[in-house]
Amino acid sequence: MTTTTHVNPSPVPSPVPSPVSGGNRAGGRRALSVLIAVAASAALAAPVATAAPAGKTAPAGKTAPAGKTAPAGKTAPKPPGGASTPITWGPCKGDPPMPDPGPQAECGTVQVPVDWSKPNGPRTGIAIGRQKATDPAKRIGVLMVNPGGPGNSGVESAMYADNPIDGYSAELRQRFDIVGFDPRGIGRSGSAVCDDTIFGKVPTHPRNAAEFEKVRTLNAQAIRSCIQGTGPLAARMDSNSVVRDMDAIRAALGERQISYLGHSYGTSLGERYSKLFPGNLRTMVLDSSVDPNRSSAERYLTDTAVTANTSLKALFSRCPADPACAQPGLPKGKKLTAVVDELFARADAGTLREPGPNGPTRTKVTPDQLTELLNGIAGNGYLDYATERLAALYSGKGEVRFFDSGPVNAAIPLVLCRDHDYRIRDYAEYQAIRERVARAAPYVRYNDQSLSFTLACQGSPLPVEPRPAQAAGALPPVLVVNATYDLATPLAGARRMARAIPTATLHEVNTTGHVLYLMDGVKQLIDNHLINRTR
């Protein structure tokens, strides 16, 4: 079943961040830092307070101290093999510049096998955070949350769950223990260490067969550097392994079942958990859903580019009634889609220049820079933002800033490329895909984030893990929520997610944005489902 909320197709109140790279750097090496899988050019904040640098934990793959407390709550089903001892809780510390959370936040570690097929083999620590239900008499149980990524800190989602700006609602915190975790190899769960200098050498826009092969070669070298710097855990960061870690956390908490709220890439974890452990799931909400079965790089690239293209056209269609379209520098009476066509023609010809205060500068604007700018406009959703930048580019007078997102974060090849098969045979196939995508989305040509992620998967020496088969057990009611114009997790993928889960209801929100929990109306819808398990 699908329901729809019709709102003005403008951005959700809570902005969405672009991917970030960096983290702890020393001597050309890095630990994985946060990365939210969202529209690459949207410059906004996460749905929950999670943007602190990665924690300073022991190297990934090494054994951390196990908890020694007795299990709490009812007898719970144990995960298959390798289950952790219960958790020892202690105070949480914020990573600068984030402040320490309040005393209600507590943190601990759960021990799990590095390789779940070898439950008695080496172990690694999964960092978890918790805020207990504020009204124990009304407590329903545990709500496990994951803010996405791959690479974002779920520990911090729990630590700052009571943040009045971007935390979870008072009603949700009253009824649930909010529990979050840093996925294996991420943040406090033993940050994977890679050679950053190799990632920085990977061509971002290969123009010929030689450059495409260079992408493959350097990606393979970069991933091997992660394995060398981290140990065996770097090759075991796929979501199937993370989902088994989630069930080990459930068992260590002494819970028979958990409720789950996943945002962005966290929806992939929720869907896989529902397949492997349906009986251990009370209910689930998937906010801004990853396509559970991205069958190819082409479908991923097409869905995300078409969404950006459609979002841009919907934004431009508001022009006749909006004074923002009378922007000085734009030709009178000319449709903005025609302006975009002309800008691309000039960029292709090498005659489009960066604007300056007194007229065009000597610096050329490439077609790729124009695409990145247009993706940003499509994800932003404000018409005045769009017309100001288009007018500056068209007239040559004004200011437009172009941002280099830098090398892809290592969480992409170590996680996303393990979960989805984005491999492309050779440069000829790559070029053919690019041409078909551009025809389907002529006003952006491609989605810059999804292209970056796809290229990061080329040449990976690690195999793609198959989606798990559906285990026996009754599935609870599941709510899937998605924006119509979501450049990171397109509506087409959310519809496939809802079809993949027999008990799912899809709620479409006619707006621009990614991660909708903070949006008025949507928050109440999600809270109501989690508390009451309504369809």
Side-chain angles (χ1 to χ4, degrees):
M1 182 175 70
T2 300
T3 60
T4 305
T5 297
H6 293 282
V7 297
N8 185 44
S10 58
V12 296
S14 169
V16 181
S18 58
V20 293
S21 180
N24 299 331
R25 295 172 180 267
R29 303 181 73 80
R30 70 172 174 194
L32 285 186
S33 61
V34 296
L35 177 69
I36 303 176
V38 298
S41 32
L44 308 169
V48 279
T50 53
K56 297 179 180 178
T57 59
K62 302 295 180 66
T63 300
K68 297 180 181 179
T69 57
K74 299 178 181 179
T75 301
K78 295 181 179 180
S84 165
T85 55
I87 304 157
T88 298
W89 296 101
C92 300
K93 299 292 289 184
D95 282 328
M98 298 294 287
D100 290 342
Q104 66 276 17
E106 49 189 359
C107 290
T109 304
V110 170
Q111 291 296 308
V112 299
V114 171
D115 183 346
W116 273 99
S117 71
K118 301 174 182 177
N120 297 319
R123 302 172 78 78
T124 188
I126 304 299
I128 60 175
R130 176 174 73 175
Q131 286 197 24
K132 288 186 177 180
T134 58
D135 189 342
K138 294 183 177 180
R139 179 184 181 273
I140 294 171
V142 162
L143 175 63
M144 192 175 292
V145 298
N146 183 275
N152 217 15
S153 172
V155 169
E156 290 176 0
S157 297
M159 283 167 52
Y160 304 107
D162 56 346
N163 186 301
I165 297 174
D166 55 10
Y168 294 103
S169 70
E171 186 176 14
L172 214 57
R173 291 184 290 105
Q174 181 187 53
R175 308 299 297 277
F176 291 98
D177 296 351
I178 307 295
V179 174
F181 64 99
D182 284 3
R184 50 174 53 213
I186 304 294
R188 294 169 174 82
S189 294
S191 296
V193 177
C194 307
D195 189 336
D196 201 29
T197 60
I198 302 175
F199 281 104
K201 295 175 182 177
V202 180
T204 55
H205 298 97
R207 305 294 181 189
N208 51 52
E211 288 189 0
F212 190 77
E213 287 307 311
K214 186 176 181 180
V215 169
R216 289 179 187 270
T217 300
L218 290 174
N219 280 341
Q221 290 177 5
I223 293 169
R224 289 190 182 99
S225 82
C226 298
I227 297 171
Q228 181 178 6
T230 307
L233 185 64
R236 298 287 176 181
M237 289 172 59
D238 57 280
S239 289
N240 290 348
S241 296
V242 173
V243 164
R244 296 185 186 279
D245 297 344
M246 289 168 57
D247 204 55
I249 294 170
R250 175 204 56 75
L253 291 168
E255 297 289 326
R256 186 177 67 85
Q257 292 183 319
I258 59 168
S259 300
Y260 182 75
L261 172 55
H263 307 283
S264 190
Y265 207 78
T267 64
S268 183
L269 298 178
E271 188 265 344
R272 289 171 188 247
Y273 192 89
S274 75
K275 285 187 171 296
L276 285 172
F277 306 105
N280 298 349
L281 192 61
R282 173 186 168 272
T283 193
M284 180 167 68
V285 176
L286 306 178
D287 174 8
S288 304
S289 289
V290 171
D291 187 338
N293 189 21
R294 291 173 176 164
S295 58
S296 67
E298 182 162 2
R299 189 168 83 176
Y300 176 40
L301 293 170
T302 301
D303 282 354
T304 53
V306 167
T307 300
N309 196 76
T310 304
S311 178
L312 206 62
K313 290 198 300 182
L315 181 65
F316 292 170
S317 70
R318 291 157 45 193
C319 253
D322 197 310
C325 293
Q327 188 76 230
L330 287 175
K332 291 182 180 180
K334 195 167 190 174
K335 291 184 177 181
L336 291 183
T337 50
V339 170
V340 170
D341 285 338
E342 184 175 337
L343 291 174
F344 265 125
R346 289 161 59 184
D348 290 338
T351 60
L352 185 63
R353 299 289 192 271
E354 286 190 17
N358 302 311
T361 67
R362 294 183 178 181
T363 304
K364 290 183 179 181
V365 176
T366 68
D368 290 319
Q369 286 178 308
L370 182 56
T371 283
E372 290 167 6
L373 179 71
L374 291 166
N375 272 273
I377 289 172
N380 177 279
Y382 288 104
L383 195 53
D384 56 352
Y385 178 92
T387 54
E388 286 174 7
R389 282 149 185 78
L390 292 178
L393 271 181
Y394 190 88
S395 67
K397 190 172 183 179
E399 182 181 18
V400 174
R401 294 185 179 182
F402 298 95
F403 297 96
D404 180 5
S405 58
V408 71
N409 189 290
I412 300 306
L414 295 180
V415 182
L416 183 141
C417 302
R418 301 293 314 285
D419 296 345
H420 301 279
D421 191 353
Y422 295 150
R423 291 172 294 188
I424 297 173
R425 185 176 59 252
D426 53 28
Y427 180 73
E429 183 184 20
Y430 170 76
Q431 190 174 35
I433 291 172
R434 288 286 308 273
E435 289 172 356
R436 289 192 291 269
V437 171
R439 286 196 295 269
Y443 301 121
V444 292
R445 296 191 175 180
Y446 62 91
N447 180 303
D448 50 331
Q449 184 192 57
S450 60
L451 181 65
S452 174
F453 288 0
T454 300
L455 286 170
C457 295
Q458 307 312 309
S460 172
L462 300 175
V464 177
E465 289 290 317
R467 285 175 66 205
Q470 182 66 60
L475 282 170
V478 173
L479 176 65
V480 179
V481 178
N482 219 86
T484 303
Y485 306 109
D486 187 332
L487 276 63
T489 55
L491 183 58
R495 288 173 174 168
R496 295 184 195 112
M497 176 70 85
R499 290 195 295 267
I501 302 174
T503 59
T505 297
L506 173 62
H507 186 82
E508 301 176 3
V509 184
N510 186 28
T511 192
T512 300
H514 179 71
V515 181
L516 302 181
Y517 180 75
L518 292 184
M519 186 177 185
D520 287 341
V522 178
K523 178 184 286 188
Q524 291 79 5
L525 176 76
I526 291 175
D527 287 357
N528 182 59
H529 179 94
L530 289 169
I531 292 169
N532 299 313
R533 293 206 299 184
T534 55
R535 283 191 176 272

